[in-house]
Short mmCIF file of all heavy atoms in Angstrom, two decimals:
data_model
loop_
_atom_site.label_atom_id
_atom_site.label_comp_id
_atom_site.label_asym_id
_atom_site.label_seq_id
_atom_site.Cartn_x
_atom_site.Cartn_y
_atom_site.Cartn_z
N ALA A 13 207.93 67.13 100.17
CA ALA A 13 207.47 65.91 99.48
C ALA A 13 206.74 66.26 98.19
O ALA A 13 206.96 65.61 97.16
CB ALA A 13 206.56 65.11 100.41
N GLN A 14 205.89 67.30 98.24
CA GLN A 14 205.17 67.71 97.04
C GLN A 14 206.16 68.17 95.96
O GLN A 14 206.00 67.84 94.79
CB GLN A 14 204.18 68.83 97.36
CG GLN A 14 203.35 69.22 96.16
CD GLN A 14 203.29 70.71 95.93
OE1 GLN A 14 203.79 71.50 96.73
NE2 GLN A 14 202.68 71.10 94.84
N MET A 15 207.17 68.90 96.37
CA MET A 15 208.16 69.39 95.40
C MET A 15 208.96 68.22 94.80
O MET A 15 209.19 68.19 93.59
CB MET A 15 209.08 70.41 96.05
CG MET A 15 208.36 71.68 96.43
SD MET A 15 209.42 72.85 97.23
CE MET A 15 210.04 73.70 95.80
N CYS A 16 209.35 67.28 95.63
CA CYS A 16 210.12 66.14 95.13
C CYS A 16 209.28 65.29 94.18
O CYS A 16 209.75 64.88 93.12
CB CYS A 16 210.61 65.28 96.30
SG CYS A 16 211.92 66.07 97.24
N VAL A 17 208.03 65.03 94.57
CA VAL A 17 207.15 64.23 93.71
C VAL A 17 206.90 64.96 92.39
O VAL A 17 206.90 64.34 91.32
CB VAL A 17 205.82 63.92 94.44
CG1 VAL A 17 204.78 63.37 93.50
CG2 VAL A 17 206.07 62.94 95.58
N GLY A 18 206.71 66.27 92.46
CA GLY A 18 206.46 67.04 91.24
C GLY A 18 207.66 67.09 90.32
O GLY A 18 207.53 66.92 89.10
N HIS A 19 208.84 67.32 90.87
CA HIS A 19 210.04 67.47 90.03
C HIS A 19 210.60 66.13 89.55
O HIS A 19 211.14 66.04 88.45
CB HIS A 19 211.12 68.25 90.76
CG HIS A 19 210.86 69.71 90.80
ND1 HIS A 19 210.91 70.50 89.68
CD2 HIS A 19 210.53 70.54 91.82
CE1 HIS A 19 210.63 71.75 90.00
NE2 HIS A 19 210.40 71.80 91.30
N LEU A 20 210.50 65.12 90.39
CA LEU A 20 211.03 63.82 90.00
C LEU A 20 210.02 63.00 89.20
O LEU A 20 210.31 61.88 88.80
CB LEU A 20 211.47 63.04 91.25
CG LEU A 20 212.59 63.68 92.07
CD1 LEU A 20 212.86 62.88 93.33
CD2 LEU A 20 213.85 63.83 91.24
N LYS A 21 208.83 63.56 89.03
CA LYS A 21 207.76 62.92 88.25
C LYS A 21 207.45 61.52 88.75
O LYS A 21 207.30 60.57 87.97
CB LYS A 21 208.12 62.92 86.77
CG LYS A 21 208.24 64.32 86.20
CD LYS A 21 208.64 64.28 84.74
CE LYS A 21 208.59 65.67 84.19
NZ LYS A 21 209.74 66.40 84.05
N LEU A 22 207.37 61.39 90.08
CA LEU A 22 207.04 60.10 90.68
C LEU A 22 205.57 59.76 90.49
O LEU A 22 205.20 58.59 90.49
CB LEU A 22 207.39 60.12 92.17
CG LEU A 22 208.87 60.36 92.50
CD1 LEU A 22 209.07 60.48 93.99
CD2 LEU A 22 209.72 59.25 91.93
N LEU A 23 204.73 60.80 90.39
CA LEU A 23 203.31 60.63 90.11
C LEU A 23 202.96 61.53 88.94
O LEU A 23 203.62 62.55 88.71
CB LEU A 23 202.47 61.01 91.34
CG LEU A 23 202.57 60.09 92.55
CD1 LEU A 23 201.83 60.69 93.73
CD2 LEU A 23 202.04 58.71 92.25
N PRO A 24 201.91 61.22 88.20
CA PRO A 24 201.52 62.09 87.08
C PRO A 24 201.11 63.48 87.57
O PRO A 24 200.65 63.64 88.71
CB PRO A 24 200.33 61.37 86.44
CG PRO A 24 200.11 60.12 87.19
CD PRO A 24 201.08 60.04 88.31
N HIS A 25 201.28 64.49 86.71
CA HIS A 25 200.97 65.87 87.09
C HIS A 25 199.50 66.10 87.37
O HIS A 25 199.14 67.08 88.01
CB HIS A 25 201.47 66.85 86.02
CG HIS A 25 202.94 67.02 86.04
ND1 HIS A 25 203.62 67.56 87.10
CD2 HIS A 25 203.89 66.68 85.12
CE1 HIS A 25 204.91 67.57 86.85
NE2 HIS A 25 205.11 67.03 85.65
N ASP A 26 198.63 65.21 86.90
CA ASP A 26 197.21 65.38 87.23
C ASP A 26 196.91 64.93 88.66
O ASP A 26 195.86 65.23 89.21
CB ASP A 26 196.31 64.66 86.23
CG ASP A 26 196.58 63.16 86.16
OD1 ASP A 26 197.65 62.74 86.59
OD2 ASP A 26 195.68 62.44 85.66
N GLN A 27 197.87 64.21 89.30
CA GLN A 27 197.69 63.83 90.69
C GLN A 27 198.41 64.78 91.64
O GLN A 27 197.88 65.14 92.68
CB GLN A 27 198.18 62.41 90.93
CG GLN A 27 197.20 61.36 90.49
CD GLN A 27 197.48 60.04 91.16
OE1 GLN A 27 198.61 59.73 91.50
NE2 GLN A 27 196.43 59.27 91.35
N VAL A 28 199.62 65.16 91.30
CA VAL A 28 200.38 66.09 92.12
C VAL A 28 200.95 67.17 91.20
O VAL A 28 201.80 66.89 90.35
CB VAL A 28 201.52 65.41 92.89
CG1 VAL A 28 202.33 66.42 93.67
CG2 VAL A 28 200.97 64.35 93.83
N ALA A 29 200.47 68.40 91.39
CA ALA A 29 200.87 69.51 90.53
C ALA A 29 202.30 69.96 90.85
O ALA A 29 202.83 69.71 91.93
CB ALA A 29 199.92 70.69 90.75
N MET A 30 202.88 70.63 89.88
CA MET A 30 204.19 71.25 90.11
C MET A 30 204.03 72.34 91.17
O MET A 30 202.97 72.96 91.27
CB MET A 30 204.73 71.85 88.80
CG MET A 30 205.17 70.82 87.79
SD MET A 30 206.56 69.81 88.37
CE MET A 30 207.87 71.01 88.30
N PRO A 31 205.08 72.59 91.94
CA PRO A 31 204.96 73.59 93.01
C PRO A 31 204.81 75.01 92.48
O PRO A 31 205.25 75.33 91.38
CB PRO A 31 206.26 73.44 93.79
CG PRO A 31 207.13 72.56 93.00
CD PRO A 31 206.34 71.90 91.95
N TYR A 32 204.18 75.84 93.29
CA TYR A 32 204.09 77.26 92.98
C TYR A 32 205.45 77.92 93.29
O TYR A 32 206.27 77.36 94.02
CB TYR A 32 203.00 77.92 93.83
CG TYR A 32 201.60 77.53 93.42
CD1 TYR A 32 200.90 76.56 94.13
CD2 TYR A 32 200.98 78.11 92.32
CE1 TYR A 32 199.62 76.19 93.76
CE2 TYR A 32 199.71 77.75 91.94
CZ TYR A 32 199.03 76.79 92.67
OH TYR A 32 197.78 76.42 92.29
N GLN A 33 205.66 79.13 92.77
CA GLN A 33 206.94 79.82 92.94
C GLN A 33 207.25 80.15 94.40
O GLN A 33 208.40 80.14 94.80
CB GLN A 33 206.97 81.10 92.10
CG GLN A 33 206.96 80.83 90.61
CD GLN A 33 208.20 80.07 90.18
OE1 GLN A 33 209.30 80.39 90.56
NE2 GLN A 33 207.99 79.02 89.40
N TRP A 34 206.24 80.44 95.20
CA TRP A 34 206.48 80.83 96.59
C TRP A 34 207.01 79.68 97.44
O TRP A 34 207.61 79.92 98.49
CB TRP A 34 205.21 81.39 97.22
CG TRP A 34 204.11 80.38 97.42
CD1 TRP A 34 203.13 80.07 96.55
CD2 TRP A 34 203.92 79.55 98.57
NE1 TRP A 34 202.32 79.10 97.09
CE2 TRP A 34 202.78 78.76 98.33
CE3 TRP A 34 204.58 79.39 99.78
CZ2 TRP A 34 202.29 77.83 99.24
CZ3 TRP A 34 204.09 78.47 100.69
CH2 TRP A 34 202.97 77.70 100.43
N GLU A 35 206.82 78.46 96.99
CA GLU A 35 207.24 77.31 97.79
C GLU A 35 208.76 77.18 97.84
O GLU A 35 209.30 76.65 98.82
CB GLU A 35 206.62 76.03 97.24
CG GLU A 35 205.11 76.00 97.38
CD GLU A 35 204.49 74.76 96.80
OE1 GLU A 35 204.83 73.66 97.29
OE2 GLU A 35 203.68 74.88 95.86
N TYR A 36 209.45 77.65 96.83
CA TYR A 36 210.91 77.53 96.81
C TYR A 36 211.56 78.38 97.90
O TYR A 36 212.37 77.85 98.67
CB TYR A 36 211.46 77.88 95.42
CG TYR A 36 210.97 76.93 94.35
CD1 TYR A 36 209.98 77.34 93.45
CD2 TYR A 36 211.46 75.64 94.25
CE1 TYR A 36 209.51 76.47 92.48
CE2 TYR A 36 210.99 74.76 93.28
CZ TYR A 36 210.02 75.19 92.40
OH TYR A 36 209.54 74.33 91.44
N PRO A 37 211.26 79.68 98.01
CA PRO A 37 211.87 80.43 99.12
C PRO A 37 211.36 79.97 100.48
O PRO A 37 212.06 80.11 101.49
CB PRO A 37 211.51 81.89 98.84
CG PRO A 37 210.41 81.86 97.87
CD PRO A 37 210.53 80.57 97.11
N TYR A 38 210.14 79.42 100.52
CA TYR A 38 209.61 78.95 101.81
C TYR A 38 210.43 77.78 102.37
O TYR A 38 210.46 77.56 103.57
CB TYR A 38 208.14 78.54 101.67
CG TYR A 38 207.51 78.21 103.00
CD1 TYR A 38 207.11 79.22 103.86
CD2 TYR A 38 207.34 76.90 103.42
CE1 TYR A 38 206.55 78.94 105.09
CE2 TYR A 38 206.79 76.60 104.64
CZ TYR A 38 206.38 77.62 105.47
OH TYR A 38 205.84 77.33 106.70
N LEU A 39 211.13 77.05 101.50
CA LEU A 39 211.96 75.96 101.99
C LEU A 39 213.06 76.46 102.94
O LEU A 39 213.53 75.72 103.79
CB LEU A 39 212.59 75.20 100.82
CG LEU A 39 211.64 74.35 99.99
CD1 LEU A 39 212.40 73.67 98.87
CD2 LEU A 39 210.91 73.34 100.84
N LEU A 40 213.45 77.73 102.79
CA LEU A 40 214.45 78.29 103.70
C LEU A 40 213.88 78.55 105.09
O LEU A 40 214.63 78.86 106.02
CB LEU A 40 215.00 79.60 103.12
CG LEU A 40 215.79 79.47 101.83
CD1 LEU A 40 216.13 80.85 101.29
CD2 LEU A 40 217.04 78.65 102.05
N SER A 41 212.57 78.41 105.26
CA SER A 41 211.95 78.71 106.55
C SER A 41 212.34 77.72 107.63
O SER A 41 212.06 77.95 108.81
CB SER A 41 210.43 78.74 106.40
OG SER A 41 209.93 77.44 106.14
N ILE A 42 212.98 76.63 107.27
CA ILE A 42 213.41 75.67 108.28
C ILE A 42 214.59 76.23 109.08
O ILE A 42 214.77 75.91 110.26
CB ILE A 42 213.77 74.31 107.63
CG1 ILE A 42 213.77 73.19 108.65
CG2 ILE A 42 215.08 74.37 106.91
CD1 ILE A 42 212.42 72.81 109.15
N LEU A 43 215.37 77.12 108.47
CA LEU A 43 216.55 77.69 109.15
C LEU A 43 216.19 78.51 110.38
O LEU A 43 216.81 78.34 111.44
CB LEU A 43 217.39 78.50 108.16
CG LEU A 43 217.95 77.70 106.97
CD1 LEU A 43 218.65 78.63 106.00
CD2 LEU A 43 218.87 76.61 107.45
N PRO A 44 215.19 79.43 110.31
CA PRO A 44 214.83 80.17 111.52
C PRO A 44 214.32 79.27 112.64
O PRO A 44 214.60 79.52 113.82
CB PRO A 44 213.72 81.12 111.06
CG PRO A 44 213.82 81.19 109.60
CD PRO A 44 214.48 79.93 109.14
N SER A 45 213.62 78.22 112.28
CA SER A 45 213.12 77.31 113.30
C SER A 45 214.27 76.59 114.01
O SER A 45 214.28 76.46 115.22
CB SER A 45 212.17 76.28 112.68
OG SER A 45 211.01 76.91 112.23
N LEU A 46 215.24 76.15 113.24
CA LEU A 46 216.40 75.49 113.84
C LEU A 46 217.20 76.47 114.70
O LEU A 46 217.69 76.10 115.77
CB LEU A 46 217.29 74.90 112.75
CG LEU A 46 216.67 73.76 111.94
CD1 LEU A 46 217.61 73.31 110.83
CD2 LEU A 46 216.29 72.60 112.83
N MET A 47 217.30 77.70 114.25
CA MET A 47 218.00 78.71 115.04
C MET A 47 217.26 78.98 116.35
O MET A 47 217.87 79.20 117.40
CB MET A 47 218.16 80.00 114.24
CG MET A 47 219.19 80.93 114.80
SD MET A 47 219.52 82.32 113.73
CE MET A 47 220.09 81.51 112.27
N GLY A 48 215.92 78.97 116.29
CA GLY A 48 215.13 79.14 117.50
C GLY A 48 215.38 78.00 118.48
O GLY A 48 215.53 78.22 119.69
N LEU A 49 215.45 76.78 117.97
CA LEU A 49 215.74 75.64 118.84
C LEU A 49 217.13 75.74 119.46
O LEU A 49 217.34 75.36 120.61
CB LEU A 49 215.62 74.33 118.06
CG LEU A 49 214.21 73.84 117.75
CD1 LEU A 49 214.26 72.60 116.87
CD2 LEU A 49 213.43 73.56 119.02
N LEU A 50 218.09 76.27 118.69
CA LEU A 50 219.46 76.43 119.21
C LEU A 50 219.54 77.48 120.31
O LEU A 50 220.45 77.45 121.13
CB LEU A 50 220.41 76.80 118.08
CG LEU A 50 220.74 75.69 117.08
CD1 LEU A 50 221.61 76.24 115.95
CD2 LEU A 50 221.45 74.54 117.78
#
């Protein structure tokens, strides 16, 4: 949600900052969790 709000400029940058670089690869962290559930 933070990344979408930051990139789509839904709120001004003084309210929601652009994401840090580490957040992009962290988005892949959903895959191991789904694999664990499987």
Side-chain angles (χ1 to χ4, degrees):
Q14 184 229 354
M15 294 178 88
C16 288
V17 167
H19 283 292
L20 298 176
K21 297 178 174 100
L22 299 175
L23 292 173
H25 286 296
D26 59 341
Q27 280 200 331
V28 177
M30 288 297 288
Y32 289 100
Q33 293 298 313
W34 68 269
E35 295 178 61
Y36 297 105
Y38 187 78
L39 289 180
L40 295 174
S41 69
I42 199 71
L43 299 175
S45 293
L46 295 176
M47 197 172 300
L49 285 175
L50 288 175

